[in-house]
Amino acid sequence: MTRAEVNENFRRFIQKYDTADPKIQLKIVHTMHVADLCDAISDSLHLNQEDRDLAWTIGMYHDVGRFEQLRLYHTFNDAQSVNHAQLGASLLLRGALGPVDALIVKAVALHNVYALPELNEREQLFCDLIRDADKIDILRVNRESSVETIYDLPMAAFQQSSISAPVMEDLMQHRTVDRTHRQTAMDAIAGHISFIFGLVYPKSVQIVMEQGYLRQLLDFPSENPKTKEQLHQIDQEIDQYVKEKIKERAEW
């Protein structure tokens, strides 16, 4: 399929949903950003045009399950509804967006898992690529959309809560936060901050640092003194981590 055909398939698909709904709008914009990020990362990897188009298509289709999830359950919370990635893969297999390659279905199905299963080299490439692109744009979404829209919780819940010990341990060990460790509202914000530790490609780290959304999350307007200190600690860890990554890249 050409990019024009993919765009048309996506346009037809979202027409079934209430595009005036802020949550739907959020996901439409997110989709476009992720597809563009897939392009940028693909370019940095010097992929051929066919593979760049494939990566971009995965970006366009990666969150189709979110639209149906919202229609059925009125939330983006997978724990309270359904695994949106698996739902998206199911929609693709049923032909909701036309014929798709098996690799696209697999990348969509796995884009939100904590750790990827064993894959062949090509599958690993495209799964890593979409996961990086998705993480990068989720940082933007967290700064440009309200917490009420994203999490169905009031801002006060985030401003007053602290980061739980298991989540802090993940961050201090430079690990992407395990969703099962989350206990508080601020744990969700901290989990997204931790995405920096899960990025695979140097271009992805570069984009995150240039965009500035991670910095804004680290400056979250908490009203809890403990949380402010925790965010300061996390900031120091990330600063050191990024410096090491930059040094590694320079040595390649």
Side-chain angles (χ1 to χ4, degrees), residues 8 18 20 25 33 35 41 48 77-78 94 98 101 105 116 129 132 134 183-184 189 191 197 201 237 242 249 252:
E8 179 61 16
D18 180 9
Q25 268 300 312
H33 277 276
I41 300 168
N48 61 42
N77 189 322
D78 284 14
R94 297 203 302 265
D101 186 282
V105 177
L116 289 170
L129 212 154
D132 269 21
D134 191 34
Q183 301 171 20
T184 71
I189 302 297
F197 300 128
Y201 298 112
E237 288 295 324
V242 171
R249 184 181 182 187
W252 289 352

Side-chain angles (χ1 to χ4, degrees), residues 72-232:
L72 293 172
Y73 302 99
H74 312 292
T75 182
F76 289 144
N77 189 322
D78 284 14
Q80 295 177 6
S81 55
V82 65
N83 183 320
H84 76 279
Q86 294 295 324
L87 178 57
S90 176
L91 288 168
L92 292 175
L93 284 171
R94 297 203 302 265
L97 288 99
V100 293
D101 186 282
L103 181 52
I104 295 175
V105 177
K106 176 165 281 191
V108 168
L110 295 175
H111 84 269
N112 70 333
V113 298
Y114 184 69
L116 289 170
E118 186 174 345
L119 301 168
N120 65 42
E121 185 176 353
R122 188 165 174 79
E123 291 170 339
Q124 187 78 41
L125 166 67
F126 288 100
C127 284
D128 282 340
L129 212 154
I130 184 58
R131 285 159 64 83
D132 269 21
D134 191 34
K135 288 182 175 75
I136 294 168
D137 197 59
I138 287 172
L139 294 174
R140 177 195 62 80
V141 171
N142 269 268
R143 296 313 303 146
E144 294 188 355
S145 300
S146 70
V147 293
E148 291 86 356
T149 298
I150 302 169
Y151 302 106
D152 297 319
L153 288 172
M155 183 62 166
F158 297 88
Q159 292 176 316
Q160 295 167 13
S161 64
S162 62
I163 302 170
S164 67
V167 168
M168 278 298 292
E169 176 65 15
D170 283 340
L171 283 152
M172 292 300 101
Q173 295 300 319
H174 299 178
R175 295 191 297 257
T176 302
V177 169
D178 187 331
R179 292 187 192 93
T180 65
H181 292 171
R182 294 181 184 177
Q183 301 171 20
T184 71
M186 268 307 297
D187 281 352
I189 302 297
H192 289 150
I193 289 171
S194 78
F195 281 174
I196 187 69
F197 300 128
L199 297 175
V200 174
Y201 298 112
K203 181 66 174 180
S204 303
V205 176
Q206 178 189 341
I207 292 170
V208 165
M209 301 314 294
E210 289 176 351
Q211 285 182 334
Y213 297 117
L214 178 63
R215 164 54 47 204
Q216 292 175 36
L217 277 182
L218 287 163
D219 291 336
F220 188 85
S222 175
E223 297 175 355
N224 186 318
K226 179 180 178 180
T227 306
K228 290 180 180 180
E229 176 56 31
Q230 289 174 319
L231 289 171
H232 177 66

